[in-house]
Structure formats: structure tokens, C-alpha cells
Amino acid sequence: MKKIQLLFLLIIGVSSFAMAQVVKKGGTEIATIKTPTVQCEECKQRIENYLSREEGVTKVVVDYKKKITKVTYVTDRTNYEAVKTAIANAGYDADDVTANPDSYKKLPTCCKKPEDGGGHAKKN
């Protein structure tokens, strides 16, 4: 019985950790969103510029090496799901939301997934 309880607690702990983080501060929240298709500085700039025009978003920091985007937003103007949708509308995957296909097609080759012929060429 103790093994079952321990396994149950372990499963809950792992699943909680796997979820994106949302930190609340007053009337704002900071969401940490996995952006696995972000590959370069150009991708970073695209997402930061796109989200900076979204209502309620006050700060965006994209780390393309860690493939994480941190977004600070005002909670009474937008929400976590809307932020993920905005990233997807820019052409990139955001947690469980896949990129908008039309927006993805418009991305430059360097910003597309390697399996689609994108990415930067490796230097020898």
C-alpha cells in the first residue's frame, strides 16, 4: 500500500512540474511557456515583437537556447491561454498549442523546423 501511495505522489509531482509555470504578482502574472520550435535570434525577435502588440502583455523574454518564453501580462486584460494562442499565431508552438499553419508557412526558412528543411546550417 505504501508503494502505491508513493507512486501516486510521484506521478502527481512529476505532472505538476511538467506543467508550465504561472507566477502571480498583484494584478499581473508571469507565465513560463515552452516554445520548442524557437531556434534563433530572429525567432526570438519575431515572438517578442508579436507579443508586445498584444493587449495586456507588459514584458516578453524569449530564450531560444532553452526554448522557453517568459511573458508578463495583466490578468484582467488577457490570460495564459490567450498568450499561448498569440505565440501560435506568430507561427511557433507554445506548450500544447501548435503553431498556426498559415503563420508557420510565412516564417523564413531559418525559423522553420529542421524536419521541414529549416534551421540554421551547422558550422564545421
Side-chain angles (χ1 to χ4, degrees):
M1 185 68 176
K2 285 187 178 186
K3 286 184 180 181
I4 293 172
Q5 288 175 338
L6 182 61
L7 181 62
F8 181 72
L9 288 173
L10 182 63
I11 291 170
I12 290 175
V14 168
S15 64
S16 297
F17 181 74
M19 298 283 215
Q21 295 178 317
V22 176
V23 179
K24 295 184 178 186
K25 282 180 123 178
T28 63
E29 287 184 359
I30 302 170
T32 303
I33 301 168
K34 295 176 190 169
T35 46
T37 54
V38 173
Q39 302 182 65
C40 62
E41 186 67 32
E42 194 169 340
C43 297
K44 169 185 166 60
Q45 290 173 353
R46 281 182 185 283
I47 292 175
E48 289 177 351
N49 289 338
Y50 193 91
L51 287 179
S52 69
R53 295 187 302 256
E54 289 293 311
E55 183 176 352
V57 173
T58 58
K59 184 177 179 183
V60 182
V61 177
V62 177
D63 185 335
Y64 64 88
K65 291 181 181 177
K66 293 182 181 178
K67 299 189 181 295
I68 289 182
T69 300
K70 288 191 178 193
V71 182
T72 304
Y73 59 92
V74 179
T75 56
D76 61 350
R77 293 169 130 194
T78 192
N79 60 52
Y80 177 67
E81 292 300 320
V83 171
K84 291 193 304 183
T85 301
I87 293 171
N89 287 339
Y92 299 91
D93 294 346
D95 280 345
D96 58 338
V97 180
T98 56
N100 175 299
D102 293 332
S103 299
Y104 178 76
K105 286 178 189 175
K106 293 177 185 176
L107 292 176
T109 303
C110 66
C111 293
K112 292 186 179 176
K113 299 174 189 174
E115 58 266 24
D116 293 335
H120 289 277
K122 303 262 185 209
K123 295 181 180 176
N124 292 332

